[in-house]
Amino acid sequence: MTTPIALVTGANTGIGFEIARGLLERGMTVVLGCRDLKRGEVARAELAKAGKGEAVLMQVDLANLNRLRNFVSKFLERFERLDLLVHNAGIWPRTRRKTEDGFELTLGVNHLGPFFLTDALLPLMKKSAPSRIVVVTSSMHTEAEFDFEDPQFKVRQHHGGTAYAQSKLANVLFTRGLARRLEAKGAGVTVNAVHPGVVNTGLRREAPPNARAPKNLLSPREGAVGPLQLALSADLAKLSGRYFEGTEQKTPSPAALDVAAQDRLWALSRTLLKLPPE
Ligand code: NAP
């Protein structure tokens, strides 16, 4: 039997580290897609003790399209299949900053980078079908409307929470838009989104010191349970375009269910990333 190959972005810490651990315990080969190779190597050494599978470290920087292109060509040289792609990496910056390519950082890292990576790896995932994509979003998507007039806060005042919530709405819009396209082509690739719970990680590292810390935080291992269910459960193998909170399927916000918004975001993302229209 061929060993299944998984790619987990942001696998050096937090929820991504525990998702990687769970997959390694199942014997998968897990590519740890980390932006910082030093931090990634520390995680790889720790995860190497985790289980039957092999942990492979590769650089994935979602804030730099050239680095993403490099990653994809190295990945395609090295691996002949991709069974599971977990878009886990994410940030919540408090100030307006930019990616290497000039995108507003929150949208760039949380949505545009994953969109670009998916587009580049999808042909391999289709060849590897049945295969799965898991998108780690947030219940905070329910607080957002996607502002198509000013998605990158060029005109309106940047607000960290608003930018984060909008990017997490983009995750669900993307999941549903992609699921429709994959289903229409009978591609054998599923994609689902999951809110992991409110988890004790470094995500809120830029929160002001006087900000109230959320209560009853889950551990990163508990936060990984929902994503791992979507990645591994045989019962969910055919499910696509759905939104989960932990292990429970839920209805996402009305804004996320808006098909016109899904298609508008799809077209906007392709334009911004200079990908050919479909
Ligand atoms: P975390 O501990 O801060 O981990 C985030 C990961 O993303 C880190 O590995 C980080 O790498 C990586 N990352 C940041 N910028 C990147 C870039 N440019 N390219 C590639 N990787 C990058 O946070 P977490 O809570 O585990 O977050 C994981 C996911 O869960 C995120 O998508 C987040 O939105 C979602 N989520 C978390 C919560 C929560 O309560 N924690 C709730 C809902 C949703 P570095 O270590 O190098 O910074």
Side-chain angles (χ1 to χ4, degrees):
M1 254 179 64
T2 35
T3 306
I5 313 282
L7 166 61
V8 181
T9 64
N12 58 291
T13 188
I15 299 164
F17 180 88
E18 294 298 337
I19 295 172
R21 195 207 299 271
L23 301 175
L24 287 163
E25 283 169 357
R26 293 295 193 98
M28 293 178 101
T29 294
V30 182
V31 177
L32 314 172
C34 302
R35 68 167 159 173
D36 183 299
L37 288 176
K38 276 196 190 140
R39 280 199 289 274
E41 178 48 33
V42 174
R44 194 205 57 76
E46 182 63 27
L47 286 167
K49 304 172 197 159
K52 297 174 272 176
E54 186 193 359
V56 177
L57 174 63
M58 293 182 79
Q59 188 175 41
V60 171
D61 185 351
L62 294 162
N64 186 323
L65 295 184
N66 265 338
R67 286 211 187 129
L68 276 184
R69 279 187 200 98
N70 276 341
F71 162 74
V72 170
S73 56
K74 283 186 190 156
F75 188 95
L76 296 178
E77 264 168 38
R78 184 159 178 182
F79 297 103
E80 287 180 351
R81 54 185 306 110
L82 179 58
D83 301 274
L84 171 66
L85 168 56
V86 184
H87 287 303
N88 161 77
I91 51 166
W92 186 345
R94 299 286 150 168
T95 54
R96 189 181 190 281
R97 304 203 285 275
K98 290 185 194 171
T99 67
E100 280 299 312
D101 307 276
F103 302 132
E104 186 275 321
L105 190 64
T106 321
L107 191 71
V109 170
N110 293 359
H111 167 66
L112 292 170
F115 189 104
F116 186 84
L117 198 55
T118 308
D119 184 77
L121 292 173
L122 213 44
L124 182 62
M125 296 200 77
K126 287 178 185 166
K127 275 208 283 178
S128 314
S131 53
R132 303 186 194 192
I133 302 172
V134 177
V135 180
V136 182
T137 181
S138 168
S139 61
M140 272 183 71
H141 83 271
T142 58
E143 295 169 24
E145 293 286 332
F146 198 93
D147 186 341
F148 284 100
E149 299 308 317
D150 188 21
Q152 300 190 68
F153 297 82
K154 289 183 179 169
V155 179
R156 59 185 163 144
Q157 175 74 36
H158 181 271
H159 179 267
T162 308
Y164 179 76
Q166 178 184 260
S167 74
K168 292 285 129 179
L169 171 60
N171 290 160
V172 190
L173 289 166
F174 166 67
T175 298
R176 293 186 65 85
L178 179 59
R180 275 192 288 116
R181 285 163 178 80
L182 291 169
E183 244 162 64
K185 290 180 188 145
V189 185
T190 64
V191 53
N192 293 289
V194 57
H195 164 66
V198 183
V199 186
N200 188 11
T201 68
L203 188 69
R204 290 171 192 82
R205 61 173 73 79
E206 289 188 28
N210 59 352
R212 253 188 304 141
K215 292 205 173 109
N216 303 322
L217 294 173
L218 301 179
S219 69
R221 190 172 276 225
E222 290 168 322
V225 171
L228 282 169
Q229 172 183 256
L230 281 173
L232 295 168
S233 164
D235 293 343
L236 305 182
K238 295 237 154 60
L239 210 68
S240 197
R242 308 303 173 93
Y243 168 69
F244 280 68
E245 293 189 355
T247 55
E248 272 183 59
Q249 196 183 149
K250 293 270 166 84
T251 305
S253 69
L257 293 171
D258 181 344
V259 173
Q262 291 159 20
D263 288 345
R264 203 170 167 193
L265 179 64
W266 192 269
L268 173 70
S269 307
R270 295 193 77 83
T271 304
L272 289 173
L273 293 164
K274 299 190 171 60
L275 296 170
E278 282 179 327

